[in-house]
Amino acid sequence: MTREDAATIFERIATLLELKGENPFKTRAYRSGAEIVESFSGDIMKLAAENQLAGIKGLGEALRDKLHEMATTGRLEFYEKLKAEFPDTLFELFDIQGLGPKKVAALYGQLGVGSVADLKRVCEDGTAAALSGFGEKTVKKILESIAFHEQHASEFRLDQVYPLAQTMLEALREHPNASRVEVCGSFRRGKETVHDLDFLVATKKPEEVIAAFVKLPEVVDVITQGPTKASVHIKDGIQCDLRAVSSAEFPFALAYFTGSKEHNVAIRGRALQQGLSLNEYGFTITKEGVEAPEVHDERDLYRALGLDFIEPELRENTGEIDAAEHGRLPRLIELENLRGTFHNHTTASDGRATLRQMAEAAHDLGLQYLGISDHSKSSFQANGLDEKRLLAQIAEIRELNAELDGLHLFAGCEVDILKDGSLDFSDEILSQLDYAVASVHNVFNLPEAEMTKRIIRAIENPHITMLGHLTGRLLLQRPAYAVNIPAIIEAAAANGTIIELNCSGWRLDMDWRWWRMARDKGVKCSINPDAHSTEGLQALIYGIKVARKGWLRREDVINCLPLDEVKKALGRKTGR
Ligand code: DGT
Ligand code: CA
Ligand code: CA
Ligand code: ZN
């Protein structure tokens, strides 16, 4: 059991105890226990397994014992029993935007609402609106959120599946009878959300590899198992399919199952024009005199059709085939190209690691520089910094820089864009920073024109280096607010303001569908993890996938620049 799992269980215990009306002191102990488990700087699960937790502030004996049980047995009896008192579907409610523990408690306690289906019913028939604290407006919002969830049922964020996919891939690659293994489908294309994971293996002994697949430790249940394919569920109900093919078929199957369907259709049409019929097994000749091309990998397959190799991320039938035909495909950015990154939080606002810990983690990742950008004062829920604390942090960063070797820290902030487009800090304060990220964190419900104007006003400020998470979306959770993206891109281009590609798996914002347009208008991108912990820096890989999907090259991304050049790039707008 990972520390995240354990923290989630503590968090859920707190909520269930709240629903039962237990004393608030007890619920608070679990809630802060969850935070401690999440943010503890050592290997807390190992310590728990070895009964070495004594002395950690805020973890009483009861919680220590429970952690020990989870670390050694992988479950918690207390939680299992508590959970059994409630419907299984209760926790669905917490995914609905606008429903906090208090509202869930009221719905459950007074109306017996224990699932999203129940919730929908009481919202539609008017009973929910009659509860205290639930106006018509609240109910309308809840119904909108339910509709959004229904639309995205059984989709998963890239960051939810990525570590699991990697582990399973590595395990399969170690199988003695698997010669080549890949995850195809939307995952390989770098989509921000996926429905399932499509594994493909080249083997002479499909049955053996499939038998090993269904026994992987991640597998929760087996849906189907046949001689050449199998489907299983892993955690959270994520479905994984495996298909086994021969080595000769592998490149064809890889291309076919990578998709997208639209890309495949166009490629098949192209093959037909050349007298070749293409499917997941190979080429068949349909015209006399045509010779079957030799294909050992995907590159050969594209070459046979007169095309440069098309990277999986580009296979959406949005112009990549034409570009491949004319040698005009971009050379896409790679993770290794990143020299540093901006937009990271520390314990000064709502981050879990200190400035020094963040710096060390960035250095360990091989980065040359790290931008710090804690929240500003209006984000009080995130412990945003006021002027005084910000100035103190700038001084602290300058001091630490003098001491650090091989990593440069940039002093920045993530300054709130207020409702009217003014900023949370004065120009006088902002001018003391190395750079500033401007983001919207509240008042999401403005009409599109007003929201666009609000953000453009921030873009026009000479002290704003870059725009943070443009649309405010939380993938599968909260839709983007209304904003005119082409107008934002125009304004960013006109003012030399960089747009962030926020790499948090929840955001991946600005969306990949807009980057090519931005790039062509000369807008630069900054790939930013929005890290709230040292592990948060790992999100860079998701940003790279999305940047590639948006046709970005290393020269489009400022954090591919070496240190002295990135300094110039940050100062370009203000002449800093
Ligand atoms: P997803 O799973 O919805 O996130 O997206 P994909 O693209 O992974 O879709 P999936 O898993 O249904 O199928 C994987 C790939 O297999 C898909 O990208 C293209 C190929 N494929 C599946 N069904 C068809 C089909 O009916 N026609 C063609 N041409 N290709 C298909
Ligand atoms: Ca798929
Ligand atoms: Ca599939
Ligand atoms: Zn933010």
Side-chain angles (χ1 to χ4, degrees):
M1 184 178 280
T2 66
R3 70 158 73 196
E4 284 78 17
D5 296 333
T8 307
I9 288 179
F10 278 170
E11 184 66 47
R12 292 191 158 190
I13 290 174
T15 304
L16 295 178
L17 292 178
E18 231 164 18
L19 291 187
K20 284 182 71 166
E22 287 267 355
N23 105 43
F25 182 75
K26 210 166 156 188
T27 59
R28 222 172 302 134
Y30 280 101
R31 200 146 274 146
S32 69
E35 270 171 39
I36 293 167
V37 170
E38 263 204 300
S39 61
F40 188 75
S41 59
D43 186 346
I44 196 159
M45 297 313 279
K46 185 158 172 267
L47 293 177
E50 295 164 355
N51 267 330
Q52 303 281 325
L53 293 172
I56 298 178
K57 213 176 124 220
L59 270 191
E61 195 182 348
L63 269 72
R64 290 204 298 269
D65 288 348
K66 291 192 171 68
L67 269 177
H68 176 72
E69 185 183 335
M70 288 191 273
T72 48
T73 67
R75 52 193 296 275
L76 182 63
E77 204 181 320
F78 174 76
Y79 174 59
E80 306 286 334
K81 281 197 177 140
L82 182 63
K83 218 171 52 166
E85 297 175 34
F86 296 88
D88 281 347
T89 46
L90 184 72
F91 281 98
E92 292 175 355
L93 296 176
F94 292 92
D95 291 335
I96 300 296
Q97 199 68 27
L99 274 192
K102 269 212 190 94
K103 287 211 168 70
V104 172
L107 286 161
Y108 180 73
Q110 296 176 45
L111 300 179
V113 169
S115 68
V116 170
D118 292 347
L119 178 64
K120 196 172 171 185
R121 181 174 40 78
V122 300
C123 283
E124 281 171 345
D125 69 13
T127 28
L131 283 183
S132 93
F134 285 76
E136 255 173 54
K137 245 187 171 169
T138 315
V139 169
K140 187 168 163 261
K141 259 190 140 165
I142 293 174
L143 280 172
E144 278 168 11
S145 178
I146 294 174
F148 185 77
H149 269 266
E150 284 173 346
Q151 216 180 326
H152 295 287
S154 74
E155 278 181 57
F156 303 92
R157 298 186 317 271
L158 183 56
D159 64 304
Q160 280 178 294
V161 298
Y162 189 85
L164 291 160
Q166 289 306 328
T167 319
M168 293 171 75
L169 191 58
E170 276 162 32
L172 286 173
R173 282 184 175 152
E174 272 173 20
H175 194 280
N177 288 316
S179 58
R180 284 195 271 180
V181 192
E182 287 295 344
V183 186
C184 313
S186 48
F187 180 83
R188 185 163 181 245
R189 298 200 313 280
K191 277 284 298 289
E192 68 280 21
T193 56
V194 304
H195 275 109
D196 63 0
L197 294 173
D198 304 287
F199 289 85
L200 179 70
V201 58
T203 178
K204 284 190 183 123
K205 304 219 167 120
E207 261 146 9
E208 285 181 23
V209 181
I210 283 167
F213 173 71
V214 300
K215 284 200 207 85
L216 288 175
E218 288 76 16
V219 171
V220 173
D221 65 88
V222 179
I223 306 164
T224 57
Q225 181 177 357
T228 59
K229 54 186 182 185
S231 291
V232 299
H233 283 128
I234 57 174
K235 93 173 189 199
D236 297 338
I238 302 169
Q239 184 173 332
C240 298
D241 299 336
L242 174 73
R243 281 182 194 77
V245 296
S246 71
S247 278
E249 290 164 345
F250 187 82
F252 295 96
L254 180 61
Y256 180 89
F257 291 114
T258 297
S260 66
K261 209 163 154 180
E262 293 74 16
H263 174 89
N264 288 354
V265 167
I267 289 287
R268 264 207 312 274
R270 195 179 165 89
L272 272 179
Q273 283 179 353
Q274 297 187 21
L276 293 166
S277 147
L278 171 66
N279 64 16
E280 61 265 52
Y281 308 110
F283 280 127
T284 320
I285 292 159
T286 57
K287 206 166 27 186
E288 228 172 293
V290 174
E291 246 180 79
E294 232 183 84
V295 173
H296 301 287
D297 56 22
E298 272 187 330
R299 206 166 283 277
D300 296 336
L301 202 164
Y302 282 102
R303 190 180 300 127
L305 300 173
L307 299 172
D308 288 345
F309 176 69
I310 302 176
E311 298 282 1
E313 292 90 340
L314 301 185
R315 300 182 196 170
E316 298 290 344
N317 198 29
T318 54
E320 73 279 11
I321 297 174
D322 186 61
E325 180 174 341
H326 297 101
R328 284 203 295 261
L329 281 172
R331 175 157 183 188
L332 300 180
I333 183 173
E334 290 175 29
L335 184 61
E336 293 68 34
N337 299 146
L338 286 183
R339 303 289 183 88
T341 188
F342 300 95
H343 195 165
N344 298 288
H345 298 268
T346 72
T347 46
S349 66
D350 58 348
R352 300 200 313 243
T354 62
L355 190 57
R356 188 183 288 271
Q357 287 169 335
M358 290 300 285
E360 280 166 3
H363 187 251
D364 288 346
L365 279 181
L367 300 179
Q368 291 175 6
Y369 50 86
L370 182 73
I372 300 299
S373 55
D374 273 309
H375 287 286
S376 65
K377 61 190 184 213
S378 286
S379 280
F380 48 84
Q381 75 293 343
N383 189 26
L385 279 62
D386 59 15
E387 286 81 353
K388 198 168 149 226
R389 289 174 63 213
L390 179 65
L391 293 176
Q393 191 189 45
I394 298 176
E396 195 187 346
I397 287 175
R398 308 273 183 247
E399 236 167 73
L400 192 52
N401 261 338
E403 183 193 321
L404 287 175
D405 205 9
L407 184 96
H408 182 80
L409 287 172
F410 285 107
C413 77
E414 183 182 17
V415 60
D416 270 32
I417 304 177
L418 306 181
K419 188 180 171 203
D420 63 355
S422 63
L423 297 169
D424 210 7
F425 288 131
S426 68
D427 288 359
E428 201 270 321
I429 291 286
L430 292 174
S431 69
Q432 302 188 45
L433 296 164
D434 297 325
Y435 74 102
V437 184
S439 309
V440 168
H441 286 125
N442 61 8
V443 201
F444 293 160
N445 54 358
L446 295 179
E448 181 181 300
E450 217 175 304
M451 182 64 94
T452 306
K453 207 168 122 202
R454 171 187 184 184
I455 296 174
I456 289 180
R457 191 168 158 204
I459 287 175
E460 288 172 348
N461 183 305
H463 299 288
I464 293 308
T465 327
M466 57 183 91
L467 182 64
H469 46 73
L470 166 57
T471 74
R473 75 176 180 189
L474 295 179
L475 286 167
L476 310 180
Q477 173 87 261
R478 176 174 86 198
Y481 41 68
V483 58
N484 182 339
I485 296 177
I488 296 289
I489 290 173
E490 287 292 346
N495 289 280
T497 307
I498 296 157
I499 297 182
E500 147 178 297
L501 197 177
N502 189 298
C503 311
S504 156
W506 285 99
R507 297 187 182 273
L508 297 170
D509 187 9
M510 185 168 79
D511 187 275
W512 57 269
R513 293 160 187 84
W514 295 103
W515 277 111
R516 202 164 148 207
M517 173 200 271
R519 179 199 83 173
D520 290 345
K521 295 203 180 278
V523 175
K524 295 290 178 209
C525 169
S526 180
I527 297 189
N528 291 342
D530 200 350
H532 285 73
S533 64
T534 53
E535 301 89 62
L537 292 168
Q538 306 287 346
L540 284 169
I541 182 65
Y542 310 130
I544 289 289
K545 286 196 174 269
V546 167
R548 289 167 63 83
K549 207 158 181 55
W551 292 57
L552 295 186
R553 308 152 299 187
R554 69 187 297 179
E555 58 267 36
D556 304 315
V557 176
I558 61 147
N559 41 330
C560 293
L561 293 171
L563 181 60
D564 46 336
E565 281 179 52
V566 87
K567 280 183 182 166
K568 284 183 220 150
L570 294 180
R572 203 153 286 146
K573 224 177 135 179
T574 50
R576 239 186 310 237

